[in-house]
Amino acid sequence: MNDLAGKHIVLGLTGGIACYKAAELCRGLVKEGATVQVVMTEASEQFITPVTMQALSGRSVYSSQWDTREANNMAHINLSRQADAILVAPCSADFLAKLVHGGAGDLLSLMCLARPIERVPLLLAPAMNREMWAHPATQRNLQQASADGATILGVGSGFQACGETGDGRMLEAQELLEDVVAFLQPKLLAGRKVVVTAGPTFEALDPIRGITNHSSGKMGFAIARAAREAGADVALIAGPVSLATPRGVRRIDVQSARDMLAATTAATPQADIFIATAAVADWRPATQSEAKIKKDGSGAAPTLAFIENPDILATVARSDRARSGALFCVGFAAESHDLLKHARAKRERKGIPLLVGNIGPLTFGQDDNQMLLVDAQGEQELPRAAKIVLARQLVAEIARRLPR
Ligand code: C5P
């Protein structure tokens, strides 16, 4: 993936045991295509060496404001002006306090103070013991740092290096990476509420067995992530899949089509956008046995009868809010052939403004896909790409079609 291609990140390390995670974070940023300039405080060098950070970033590390490598001897100006973002990870309680007071006694705090505040965002990944985190001084400093324009990336909870358990751990490298990628995406859906259905449904026959399908949920999860990155408040209604919940997304797990319908109709009255990617079972067993259906030894197989499931998308699309345009509905069509013809017909039948066609066997379980967008104006192809890339493009297409 190249989610940070062309981006230049200044990665600042301050004194804390979480410096060990900064090594992996640096590697992750580079892997995503960013160039990374590491700046370390003196305290951070007690935890990890500049040698490690230089090897991982491929650039020599800066730690002193008196560094003579810069021709004008102004590392704090030069380094901060080149950055797309300054990320301080870990950000110690002491460094946070320093920032809040406009301290500038070391290169990193000096850079944070000297950065052009409108153009170079400052992201802080706090890391400290739970008592330090909960202390009113820290909480006050966090609020002040945020009021001064910094973005606080939050903390994890759990076992701490000091042996105590609670809030204040630095987020994991992968979590921070996702947060940085999200932060740098355009906020096309800021203030919007989005509901996404994803994955298969499971229609129980008895307590042991049921009917489902091969939908992996990857496309819907990618769309939920992309909508969140674009600044939306996202509810992800997921059938049984084993995928990690995208950061910042509210996930509601369901089993059957009827559960999915109930969760969806509860969420969509507050939403601006509904995106139905779920592969909902068309039929469910007419009866669900309370006990496991057993073989009776006669060799006779049970006779199964089915009834049709509700069409979630069509139900939502019929609501007053959808009809008035207050709720923008997007459907998916997985076809095996004649994609354009089927996609057009399905858009009409479901009564929705936008339908995304894809070829079933080319998308199920895959990490990439290609899409055909069909609306009242015509159609548009989104060529084969990673699902998250397509999801971001789809989000942009939806944002373009929303009422202002
Ligand atoms: O009719 P078909 O299943 O091909 O339509 C696919 C679209 O409708 C998808 O967006 C899917 O999530 C949605 N759908 C639904 N409820 C159903 C069947 C499909 O929301 N029962």
Side-chain angles (χ1 to χ4, degrees):
M1 291 291 292
N2 262 321
D3 282 345
L4 295 173
K7 300 291 182 199
H8 183 64
I9 309 289
V10 167
L11 175 61
L13 274 66
T14 70
I17 187 62
C19 277
Y20 81 91
K21 295 186 191 174
E24 202 186 332
L25 173 60
C26 178
R27 198 166 155 66
L29 292 166
V30 170
K31 258 173 135 171
E32 288 294 347
T35 49
V36 179
Q37 176 60 58
V38 176
V39 177
M40 297 176 68
T41 63
E42 206 183 319
S44 74
E45 293 185 22
Q46 297 288 326
F47 295 91
I48 192 166
T49 68
V51 174
T52 299
M53 297 311 294
Q54 176 174 351
L56 293 172
S57 65
R59 288 172 172 244
S60 63
V61 169
Y62 281 76
S63 49
S64 165
Q65 67 268 49
W66 314 121
D67 199 311
T68 52
R69 277 174 292 179
E70 295 295 306
N72 61 358
N73 213 307
M74 294 193 198
H76 61 297
I77 302 290
N78 305 349
L79 299 183
S80 64
R81 274 127 198 84
Q82 292 154 4
D84 288 296
I86 300 176
L87 166 63
V88 181
C91 178
S92 66
D94 180 61
F95 191 76
L96 174 68
K98 196 182 272 183
L99 279 182
V100 164
H101 288 283
D106 63 279
L107 178 60
L108 187 57
S109 61
L110 180 57
M111 279 179 59
C112 293
L113 191 69
R115 82 189 199 281
I117 208 161
E118 299 301 332
R119 191 162 54 78
V120 182
L122 174 61
L123 311 179
L124 306 178
M128 63 200 75
N129 161 270
R130 68 189 174 112
E131 299 291 0
M132 294 166 74
W133 173 254
H135 196 285
T138 302
Q139 291 302 315
R140 200 165 56 233
N141 288 342
L142 286 164
Q143 274 189 12
Q144 188 58 55
S146 166
D148 290 345
T151 297
I152 315 293
L153 296 177
V155 288
S157 187
F159 182 73
Q160 303 197 309
C162 52
E164 297 179 3
T165 302
D167 291 342
R169 281 162 54 128
M170 187 167 86
L171 293 173
E172 300 306 317
Q174 192 52 40
E175 295 174 313
L176 288 173
L177 193 56
E178 248 189 73
D179 284 354
V180 172
V181 169
F183 180 86
L184 293 172
Q185 291 297 316
K187 301 297 167 220
L188 299 172
L189 296 181
R192 309 277 191 174
K193 286 193 162 57
V194 178
V195 176
V196 181
T197 63
T201 59
F202 180 88
E203 311 294 336
L205 267 168
D206 66 18
I208 311 288
R209 315 179 183 95
I211 289 170
T212 187
N213 61 64
H214 281 307
S215 167
S216 65
K218 285 181 181 173
M219 194 66 240
F221 274 58
I223 289 170
R225 176 178 168 185
R228 175 72 195 134
E229 289 176 347
D233 172 275
V234 183
L236 172 60
I237 301 170
V241 291
S242 53
L243 293 175
T245 311
R247 284 182 63 66
V249 165
R250 190 160 48 89
R251 173 173 177 170
I252 303 151
D253 284 318
V254 295
Q255 293 280 317
S256 70
R258 285 183 298 171
D259 297 342
M260 190 175 272
L261 175 68
T264 304
T265 51
T268 46
Q270 298 88 43
D272 304 293
I273 302 164
F274 173 49
I275 308 171
T277 70
V280 184
D282 288 323
W283 300 282
R284 67 176 179 276
T287 54
Q288 187 184 332
S289 172
E290 296 269 307
K292 184 180 175 190
I293 303 167
K294 305 290 278 181
K295 286 187 278 193
D296 63 6
S298 71
T303 311
L304 298 178
F306 291 92
I307 46 178
E308 197 172 329
N309 263 330
D311 189 315
I312 300 166
L313 176 58
T315 306
V316 173
R318 273 195 303 269
S319 68
D320 290 344
R321 292 188 68 247
R323 281 193 215 235
S324 71
L327 174 64
F328 187 88
C329 293
V330 183
F332 269 69
E335 305 293 344
S336 58
H337 62 285
D338 286 339
L339 184 57
L340 180 57
K341 191 177 95 190
H342 291 303
R344 276 188 186 145
K346 196 159 286 184
R347 192 185 79 82
E348 299 276 333
R349 201 167 62 242
K350 303 259 180 185
I352 53 174
L354 181 62
L355 188 122
V356 181
N358 49 193
I359 299 290
L362 297 182
T363 177
F364 288 151
Q366 307 283 323
D367 288 324
D368 54 9
N369 192 10
Q370 63 196 53
M371 290 176 171
L372 181 69
L373 270 46
V374 179
D375 69 6
Q377 274 67 51
E379 55 282 334
Q380 179 191 348
E381 266 184 51
L382 300 184
R384 193 149 202 94
K387 284 184 174 173
I388 183 64
V389 172
L390 288 172
R392 289 183 188 130
Q393 291 171 4
L394 179 62
V395 159
E397 290 297 330
I398 293 170
R400 201 160 67 69
R401 290 166 168 84
L402 291 180
R404 304 259 137 229

